[in-house]
Amino acid sequence: MEIVLKLLDWSLRQNWALGGPIVCFIVLMCIPALRNTADNPSDRAYWRDLLRHNRPAERYRSVMRRGLDWLDSRLSAHEAPQGPAQRAWSFGLLNATMALALAYPIVAITIQWLWGSAIDFGGQEVIAVSPSQARIFTAVWLGSSLFFYLFAGASKSRWRWPLFILATGILLLGPIYADRFAVPGNVAVASTVASVGAGAFAGAVAFAGAVEGAVAVVVAFGVASASADTFTFKGAVVGTVAGAVACVVVVAEELSSRPMAWRLLYCGALVALLIVAVKMPDDFGAGQRNQAVFFMLTMGLLPLVNAVFDFASVGLTRYLLRLGLEQKRAAWRAVLDGLGGIAIFFALGCTLIAFVTFVVPADGVPLVDLTQLFADMRRAPGDYIWLMVTLFSTLIPTLLHLSVAVLTLGLQYPAGVRNFVADLLERGEQSGQAALLSGICICAMITIALWCPIWIFTFVVTHDHGAIVNAVLWGFEAFAWAIGGI
C-alpha cells in the first residue's frame, strides 16, 4: 500500500499526460476481474482467444457486440423486445445520464484541483491551490469510496450491500478528517455530493436520476438566495417540494407503461424551477455573486442540460454501433458517430449560451459575462479545463468507441507480444507469477487503448497554438453575438 501511495504521489506531480495513464493503470490493477484474469477459466479463455485471433475486424465485432449486449442488459432490459432505436435511447440510459451528469463538472473540478491547479471563474479564484498532502488525502478518500461504490453496483453476490455500506462509511468519515489535511471545505462538500450521486447510481439506479435532478434544483435555489455555502429557508422549502416531486415521478414511472414520457416531463419541470431560481431573488447571490453563479452552473444548469445531451449522444453511439455490427458497415457508422457527437456538442454549447443570455436575474445583470468568459478562455485556457471537460462529455461515447477500436487493432500487432501474454495466461493457472504478469500486461494494454484517443484528441486540440479551440470559441462567440449575448 505504501508503494502505491508513493507512486500516486509521484504521478500527481507529473504532467497529466504522463500521470493520468499511471493513475488509470493503478485503478485497473485494483479491479480483481482484470488483475486476476488468469484465475477465472472463462475470462482466461476469452482473453486467450482474443489475443491469438489474427483477424482484427472479427475481434472488433466480438468485443463491441459483447460490450453492447452488456449495456443492453443493464440499461435496456424493458426495451429488449423492441427495435434497435428503442434499445439505444432507453429509459435506463436517460436515468443513468441524469445520475452521472451532476458528477461530471464536480469530478472535472476535483481532478484539476488534484493536479495542483487553482479553479478560477469570472476572473476570481473560487478554489485555491492546496498542499500535496491535501490532494493525496482527497484522491485516496474519494478513490476508495468510488471504487467500492462501483464494485458494489457491479456485484450480484451477497457482498453487495456490505460493500455499499463500507463505501458510504468511507465517504462520511472523509470530511471529518479533511480539515487535518487542509482540504478546502467547498472541495470536500462538492466531492461528497458527487460521490453520493455515484452511490445512488450504484445502489438504486431506478431512483438515482430523479434524486440527482432534485439535488441540482435545490443547490440552484440555495446559492441564488444566499451564498455558495448556505441554504436559506426558500432553498429548504424547494428541496422538500423537489424531493416530493421526485418520489411522485418515480412512482408514476413504475406504474406507467411509458416511463420515458414522465422522466422527460420531470426534466422540463426541473428546468422551469431552475429559471425561477435565477429570476426570483432581488439580490442574486446575496453579495457573493461570482461564487453563486459558479455553483449554479456546476451543480444546477450544467447537470440538467448535460443529462439530456449526453442521453442523445450515448444513444446515438449505441444505435449506430448496433447497426454497424448487424450490417457489417462499422467504418461508415463510426464516421456518422463522430459527426453526430460533434453536432450534439455544438448544440449543447449553444443551449447553454442561450440560457445565460435570455434567463437574466431580477437585477438585470446576466449570470455570465460572455465577452469576458471567451476572453479568459483564450487568455488562460488551463483555468477552464473543468468546463471544457464537462462540455466535451458529449464526445465521451465516441472516444470510448475509438478506444475499443484502438484496443482491438492494437492487439493485432506485433504477434510476438500477443502470443507472450496468451502464454502467460495459460501458465497462470499453475504459476502465480505468470498470472500476475498477465494481469499487468492486460491492464497496460487497456490503459494505452483508453489514453491513445485522449492523447490524439489533445494533440489535435492544442496543435498550432490551439487553433481548433480558437475556432470552436469563435463559433460559439458568433452564436452569442447573433442572439444578442455579447
Side-chain angles (χ1 to χ4, degrees), residues 106 141 175 184-194 229 295 299:
I106 298 175
W141 163 45
N186 44 15
V187 172
V189 172
S191 301
T192 303
V193 171
D229 304 314
F295 277 86
M299 302 181 71

Side-chain angles (χ1 to χ4, degrees), residues 129-142:
V129 179
S130 296
S132 59
Q133 68 266 19
R135 291 182 281 126
I136 293 174
F137 170 80
T138 305
V140 175
W141 163 45
L142 296 179

Side-chain angles (χ1 to χ4, degrees), residues 53-65 325 330 408-409 412:
H53 211 294
N54 289 316
R55 300 184 66 180
E58 291 186 7
R59 183 189 297 120
Y60 167 82
R61 285 193 289 268
S62 173
V63 173
M64 197 62 67
R65 185 175 289 108
L325 293 177
T408 55
L409 295 177
Q412 177 67 16

Side-chain angles (χ1 to χ4, degrees), residues 322-337:
R322 183 66 72 181
L323 290 184
L325 293 177
E326 294 175 354
Q327 302 173 2
K328 296 186 178 180
R329 300 180 62 185
W332 171 239
R333 303 296 180 184
V335 173
L336 290 179
D337 180 25

Side-chain angles (χ1 to χ4, degrees), residues 88-109:
W89 286 283
S90 62
F91 170 72
L93 175 62
L94 177 60
N95 202 32
T97 55
M98 287 189 67
L100 295 175
L102 182 62
Y104 281 145
I106 298 175
V107 170
I109 291 170

Side-chain angles (χ1 to χ4, degrees), residues 46 51 55 87 100 132 142 144 171 189 197 330 371 395 407 417 419 422 442 453 481 485:
Y46 173 78
L51 290 166
R55 300 184 66 180
R87 291 199 304 269
L100 295 175
S132 59
L142 296 179
S144 58
L171 181 64
V189 172
T371 303
L395 296 176
L407 175 61
V417 175
N419 291 330
I442 290 174
W481 173 83

Side-chain angles (χ1 to χ4, degrees), residues 417-435:
V417 175
R418 292 187 288 111
N419 291 330
F420 172 73
V421 179
D423 291 339
L424 287 175
L425 285 171
E426 292 179 349
R427 299 200 309 268
E429 190 174 3
Q430 290 81 25
S431 172
Q433 184 177 2

